[in-house]
């Protein structure tokens, strides 16, 4: 529908298409870095088929968000990665940044690494849950 298309266009512009987009800001700050090795943007969609009209799909909106950075920091909250949330004067958002000083031995890129106990444990727990391994 027209409203969904407009939302998707605005999200795409905020993330990567405009001069002041999130991705363009990162490219300016880190010009020699292949950002695709560090960041990706994804959208959940559901799919179904209606008897009368055939296949349909729509974007799934999830209000809560979580990011785990290098098994060191966890950010949990409601902020979106878009202009409305990041400007600070439009949508009301809240986030908790959890930076744990209690570390555990781990590996990063095959090398020994000291990970935050909370961030590492949360990531492992969520991977097991979502992969059906718990």
């Amino acid at each position: 529908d027209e409203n969904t298309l407009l939302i998707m266009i605005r999200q795409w512009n905020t993330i990567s298409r405009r001069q002041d987009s999130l991705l363009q800001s990162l490219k300016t700050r880190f010009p020699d870095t292949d950002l695709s090795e560090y960041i990706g943007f994804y959208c959940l969609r559901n799919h179904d088929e209606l008897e009368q009209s055939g296949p349909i799909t729509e974007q799934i909106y999830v209000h809560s968000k979580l990011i785990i950075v290098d098994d060191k920091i966890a950010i949990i909250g409601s902020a979106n990665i878009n202009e409305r949330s990041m400007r600070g004067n439009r949508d009301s958002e809240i986030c908790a940044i959890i930076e744990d000083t209690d570390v555990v031995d781990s590996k990063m890129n095959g090398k020994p690494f000291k990970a935050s106990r909370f961030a590492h444990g949360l990531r492992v727990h969520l991977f097991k849950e979502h992969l059906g391994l718990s």
Side-chain angles (χ1 to χ4, degrees), residues 5-15 18 82:
L5 182 59
L6 183 59
I7 289 168
M8 290 171 64
I9 290 169
R10 287 190 176 157
Q11 288 173 335
W12 181 247
N13 286 340
T14 300
I15 292 169
R18 295 189 343 211
N82 64 27

Side-chain angles (χ1 to χ4, degrees), residues 63-65 76-82 85-86 92-95:
H63 183 71
S64 62
K65 289 84 177 177
I76 305 167
S78 64
N80 296 297
I81 301 176
N82 64 27
S85 293
M86 295 295 152
S92 299
E93 306 291 357
I94 189 167
C95 282

Side-chain angles (χ1 to χ4, degrees), residues 17-53:
R17 297 305 265 177
R18 295 189 343 211
Q19 186 176 359
D20 63 342
S21 71
L22 175 64
L23 202 54
Q24 188 58 45
S25 296
L26 290 169
K27 285 178 183 177
T28 301
R29 176 90 189 264
F30 306 102
D32 298 326
T33 302
D34 179 3
L35 295 175
S36 68
E37 291 186 30
Y38 300 96
I39 189 167
F41 298 97
Y42 304 94
C43 170
L44 296 174
R45 300 190 71 76
N46 66 9
H47 302 270
D48 205 347
E49 190 161 333
L50 301 177
E51 289 181 28
Q52 312 289 317
S53 58

